[in-house]
Amino acid sequence: MAFVSYWIFPIISGLVWLATLLGLFLHWVIDTHKKRYPSMEPGQNIAYISDVGAAELKPLFVVGCVLTTIFLDAAFISDRLLRHKGRLVPNTSLGQKVLSGLSIVAALVGTIGLTFLSGFDTARYPRLHDIFLFLFILGYLVSAIFLCWEFQRLGKKYRQHKVLRLSFWVKLTFVLVELGLAIGFGVTRTRDDVNTAAILEWVIALIFTFYVFSFMIDLWPAVATRDGGRYSLRPMTTREMEEAIRRGSYADSTAARMPRKTQDSQRTLTDADSDPTVIPAAAAAAAPARPVHFHKPLRPANSS
């Protein structure tokens, strides 16, 4: 199918993770009638994900976690390779590439945490399970922070590409929400408020699903370059550049929709061996004008 591309990786990953969560939750509520597992603490009425995953549905939990991380890591690596090849908006500096690499490393830490916490269940290995749970949450949170940083810098360079801005805000929202929930989860665990902590764990896992789906936004533009083309990088017009300078940050996104008065003010100069260069109208107006000399006409000589 023509529209199937790398964006399918985060979709598969998110669907597998969501199916795993629903399978565990519905089994506990419907099949077991909210059974109390041996791994549950005194006074705990709401099971943790790991409580259900440590019992009869452990194979589902392990397979779901492993498949989720495989396809999510494939999305991370695809994004890096596609930007390197120019099939997505490419990185313009070494710093952006470093941020991208750090996000992949942090995601691998989260991958190790999610994979191993499913195997080292809370019923048999409670201490190891808590360590890998911490790595899972920390790894993907740090990875999202580096991605936000990278997309913020990319957005400054390619302000006309709204997909960068959209992805930045989606991932920033995930970081802020998940960070707040993770802090709440840690506080309630410390205070032995196990039921509230269990609810927060389910919510954190559910929101992680939408973070996984958000990578479809990043990889979708690669559909247009699947035949070997490169991502179209339209240079900013003079009006867009002037609005960007005047407003700064991402507020100049409306500049592209403003009416154009003349063709001369939008003119872009390009060179065959270099990137397109835009000459701002303000700079052209500030150039010194050439003086104009007027000469008086010569009078004809009076004949004697």
Side-chain angles (χ1 to χ4, degrees):
M1 298 174 68
F3 63 90
V4 175
S5 184
Y6 295 91
W7 61 266
I8 200 68
F9 290 146
I11 296 299
I12 295 176
S13 177
L15 289 177
V16 169
W17 180 247
L18 183 60
T20 303
L21 292 180
L22 289 176
L24 294 174
F25 182 76
L26 294 177
H27 171 74
W28 176 64
V29 173
I30 299 175
D31 295 338
T32 68
H33 304 286
K34 299 183 179 180
K35 172 185 176 181
R36 178 176 175 79
Y37 292 101
S39 59
M40 296 174 67
E41 301 177 16
Q44 182 181 350
N45 300 318
I46 301 176
Y48 288 107
I49 299 174
S50 52
D51 290 326
V52 185
E56 58 271 10
L57 289 188
K58 182 173 181 178
L60 171 65
F61 189 41
V62 173
V63 172
C65 291
V66 171
L67 291 179
T68 297
T69 56
I70 288 176
F71 285 101
L72 182 55
D73 289 344
F76 272 92
I77 296 173
S78 297
D79 182 87
R80 175 84 286 275
L81 293 178
L82 291 172
R83 295 195 189 283
H84 178 72
K85 294 180 179 180
R87 290 189 56 189
L88 292 176
V89 175
N91 298 115
T92 58
S93 66
L94 178 61
Q96 294 174 8
K97 295 179 180 179
V98 170
L99 291 173
S100 178
L102 290 175
S103 70
I104 295 176
V105 172
L108 291 177
V109 173
T111 295
I112 294 173
L114 182 56
T115 302
F116 280 83
L117 72 83
S118 63
F120 292 95
D121 58 73
T122 187
R124 301 171 182 83
Y125 312 95
R127 184 175 297 275
L128 285 175
H129 179 84
D130 289 341
I131 292 175
F132 289 124
L133 177 62
F134 174 76
L135 290 178
F136 163 56
I137 296 176
L138 179 66
Y140 282 113
L141 266 179
V142 173
S143 175
I145 291 173
F146 284 131
L147 281 177
C148 284
W149 196 351
E150 178 194 1
F151 277 62
Q152 187 265 345
R153 298 185 66 175
L154 274 173
K156 284 187 175 181
K157 178 66 177 180
Y158 303 107
R159 287 183 167 90
Q160 66 273 36
H161 295 291
K162 298 180 182 180
V163 67
L164 298 173
R165 188 163 60 254
L166 176 60
S167 183
F168 167 79
W169 286 112
V170 169
K171 289 174 176 56
L172 180 62
T173 301
F174 166 79
V175 169
L176 297 177
V177 172
E178 290 286 71
L179 181 60
L181 291 174
I183 293 174
F185 174 75
V187 171
T188 53
R189 283 286 298 267
T190 303
R191 296 181 177 180
D192 293 328
D193 188 357
V194 289
N195 290 316
T196 303
I199 294 174
L200 289 176
E201 185 186 54
W202 284 99
V203 173
I204 290 172
L206 182 61
I207 293 178
F208 180 70
T209 306
F210 297 100
Y211 171 69
V212 175
F213 283 143
S214 74
F215 284 89
M216 176 184 174
I217 302 174
D218 308 332
L219 298 173
W220 179 263
V223 174
T225 59
R226 60 177 299 148
D227 295 327
R230 295 176 65 85
Y231 197 83
S232 176
L233 298 178
R234 178 182 61 83
M236 295 179 69
T237 63
T238 302
R239 182 178 295 278
E240 291 172 356
M241 180 171 287
E242 290 175 348
E243 283 296 310
I245 295 173
R246 184 173 66 86
R247 298 185 181 184
S249 186
Y250 294 99
D252 61 317
S253 60
T254 57
R257 299 190 295 270
M258 297 179 67
R260 302 180 178 182
K261 295 182 179 179
T262 63
Q263 292 182 345
D264 291 337
S265 64
Q266 309 296 329
R267 200 167 287 170
T268 302
L269 301 181
T270 60
D271 183 79
D273 300 325
S274 62
D275 295 330
T277 305
V278 177
I279 308 298
R290 294 182 179 180
V292 179
H293 301 282
F294 297 94
H295 300 277
K296 295 182 179 180
L298 296 176
R299 294 182 178 179
N302 293 330
S303 57
S304 55

